[in-house]
Amino acid sequence: MQAPNVYDADPIPAEALAEIERMFTNGDLFRYTSENASVALLEQEFAALLGSKYALAVASCSAALFLSLKALDMPRGARVLIPAFTFAAVPSAVVHAECTPVLVEVGENYRIDLEDFDAKLAAGAEAVLISHMRGHTSDMDAILARARAHGVPVIEDAAHSLGTLWNGRKIGTLGKVGCYSFQSYKMVNAGEGGILVTDDADLIARAVIMSGAYEHNWQKHPVVPERFAHWQNKLPLYNTRLSNLSAAVIRPQLALLDDRVSKGRANHDYVAARLNTSPALQVPPALPQEERAPDSIQFNLCGLTPAQAKAFAGAAKARGVSVQIFGQSTDNARAFWNWQFLGEVPELPKTRAMLMNACDVRLPARLSRDELDYIADALLEAAETASKVLPDAA
Ligand SMILES: *Cc1c(COP(=O)(O)O)cnc(C)c1O
């Protein structure tokens, strides 16, 4: 059997093409040209799906994070706590909003280290931005309680967590505002795109205007008109809207979400159980409150030296299974020491230790049981090969 191709995307549902053909005929690609544009319908459907009052579709999740900070009216230089394990676009969104990212340690279960969170919250913060990195949910009960006690808003970066539940509630709807991505490697694929959800009328009015609803285009949003009238002409227009073309690609995929989530979770849990039979591999369990929606698997190498870790990745690759060890690949965008645009990058020993051992393998929902076994076998055999490599071999 050949190694399964985990990089190919799933086909886009045919309904999208019919809608795009219609748009090609009338050229109606801009969200504010007609009533009931695809982008507006997407916002209504997405808000309903999440059980949120309001949604705003934008160019990317990064744009949604940036707009969230702007809509929260964060003053210049405001300290925003973010996990030190996230994608480089997240601290970048904070910098873009003229705020200061404060990196919080992340433990070997890929979640915020609450001791460090407490220390950094106590040292002063004006907002908390939690990336549920690769769908791993930080302890939101603890984080929400602490943020509430300090009177600071919580933004959820649920870019890669669409479909995850926390105490039965949808991830991204727990904080003040939640942001999701439609970039190709996420649960819903439009190439690019993002969306934010909130129940706060003032926040959505500000975000809508700043996303590029110039003049009275806000009338095409089903949101409290007084708030728009209040902010009219008072906010900059960052023009980071979504095109109707993207919305047409996204909308038919929303109906596929439940199926993708349940298949992705079953695939993940099956491979996790197999990997956990090796003493060299460990898949951190879900938190008790968490029901995950994974499209990839992360696991830690236990007791392997860097040389052995390299041998592990090499042996897996030889069988056609690509393993990314976050901290060991050059210029990795999820390794905080590469975020040189921050100026001085702090030393974060816990996060660094985690990144040096944390592996990432894609596991799309469409994989068959045989394909999952192929991947698990390859990883288990690679772990065995690596354990036999001399610890200090180059
Ligand atoms: C993908 C991702 C982003 C960025 O999303 P874009 O839509 O590409 O801007 C941010 N945070 C996390 C956790 C992600 O996985």
Side-chain angles (χ1 to χ4, degrees):
M1 182 176 167
Q2 283 217 323
N5 183 334
V6 295
Y7 290 99
D8 283 356
D10 285 349
I12 306 299
E15 301 100 285
L17 196 55
E19 179 64 11
I20 287 169
E21 257 169 7
R22 204 185 57 80
M23 287 179 195
F24 271 34
T25 318
N26 60 18
D28 199 358
L29 304 182
F30 181 51
R31 68 162 299 166
Y32 291 129
T33 302
S34 21
E35 301 293 328
N36 294 320
S38 268
V39 176
L41 296 175
L42 166 65
E43 287 169 347
Q44 287 165 31
E45 289 159 3
F46 199 84
L49 182 74
L50 274 288
S52 295
K53 277 195 185 153
Y54 313 115
L56 170 66
V58 289
S60 66
C61 181
S62 304
L65 294 169
F66 160 76
L67 281 176
S68 299
L69 291 164
K70 284 289 175 193
L72 285 164
D73 206 13
M74 284 293 126
R76 184 169 295 179
R79 287 162 54 91
V80 178
L81 304 194
I82 66 168
F85 176 42
T86 185
F87 185 59
V90 176
S92 306
V94 178
V95 170
H96 187 194
E98 297 182 286
C99 299
T100 305
V102 177
L103 308 188
V104 180
E105 287 267 36
V106 168
E108 55 186 29
N109 66 356
Y110 320 130
R111 296 170 173 91
I112 289 254
D113 179 273
L114 287 173
E115 210 177 300
D116 196 43
F117 181 81
D118 281 340
K120 284 172 177 156
L121 192 57
E126 271 139 297
V128 168
L129 195 174
I130 303 293
S131 283
H132 304 299
M133 189 55 176
R134 285 291 194 276
H136 299 284
T137 316
S138 284
D139 184 342
M140 290 307 286
D141 294 342
I143 287 165
L144 292 168
R146 285 158 164 84
R148 201 176 308 119
H150 279 78
V152 299
V154 174
I155 300 167
E156 284 183 89
D157 167 15
H160 212 150
S161 274
L162 182 58
T164 299
L165 301 177
W166 179 261
N167 289 325
R169 292 173 62 195
K170 298 197 162 77
I171 270 303
T173 66
L174 307 177
K176 189 92 175 153
V177 50
C179 303
Y180 305 81
S181 175
F182 300 124
Q183 186 268 341
S184 288
Y185 302 155
K186 316 298 160 115
M187 201 52 102
V188 172
N189 165 23
E192 305 285 357
I195 197 162
L196 64 83
V197 298
T198 183
D199 287 342
D200 186 308
D202 200 57
L203 192 151
I204 196 75
R206 288 172 55 87
V208 162
I209 291 175
M210 286 189 277
S211 75
Y214 60 93
E215 295 164 357
H216 295 155
N217 280 315
W218 50 259
Q219 286 169 349
K220 295 203 171 72
H221 288 263
V223 190
V224 196
E226 307 87 78
R227 298 322 304 155
F228 283 116
H230 176 79
W231 292 111
Q232 184 79 56
N233 302 335
K234 296 200 178 70
L235 298 167
L237 303 169
Y238 293 107
N239 274 17
T240 180
R241 295 172 300 251
L242 193 73
S243 151
N244 282 337
L245 274 176
S246 302
V249 170
I250 294 163
R251 290 179 58 219
Q253 292 182 60
L254 297 182
L256 309 179
L257 188 63
D258 283 350
D259 187 53
R260 284 182 186 168
V261 168
S262 61
K263 286 193 179 127
R265 187 185 302 140
N267 289 356
H268 174 278
D269 292 351
Y270 178 74
V271 174
R274 292 210 55 204
L275 299 190
N276 278 332
T277 61
S278 163
L281 308 178
Q282 187 244 342
V283 185
L287 296 182
Q289 300 94 325
E290 186 186 21
E291 240 183 284
R292 299 191 284 203
D295 58 7
S296 61
I297 189 165
Q298 290 71 45
F299 53 94
N300 294 321
L301 302 176
C302 309
L304 299 191
T305 63
Q308 289 172 321
K310 207 167 161 214
F312 168 75
K317 183 88 201 156
R319 295 207 44 184
V321 175
S322 289
V323 179
Q324 162 179 243
I325 306 174
F326 292 108
Q328 300 209 28
S329 71
T330 311
D331 297 331
N332 194 298
R334 298 147 204 93
F336 64 85
W337 52 87
N338 289 326
W339 303 341
Q340 292 169 22
F341 55 86
L342 293 180
E344 209 177 321
V345 181
E347 199 30 70
L348 297 156
K350 276 189 189 167
T351 310
R352 181 180 285 271
M354 178 275 288
L355 288 166
M356 295 312 282
N357 287 307
C359 301
D360 187 32
V361 173
R362 287 173 61 79
L363 278 187
R366 65 166 184 276
L367 295 187
S368 67
R369 188 51 65 95
D370 284 349
E371 290 174 317
L372 297 172
D373 277 324
Y374 183 100
I375 292 171
D377 288 341
L379 295 173
L380 288 165
E381 280 167 34
E384 216 161 293
T385 307
S387 310
K388 292 187 196 123
V389 169
L390 286 179
D392 54 357

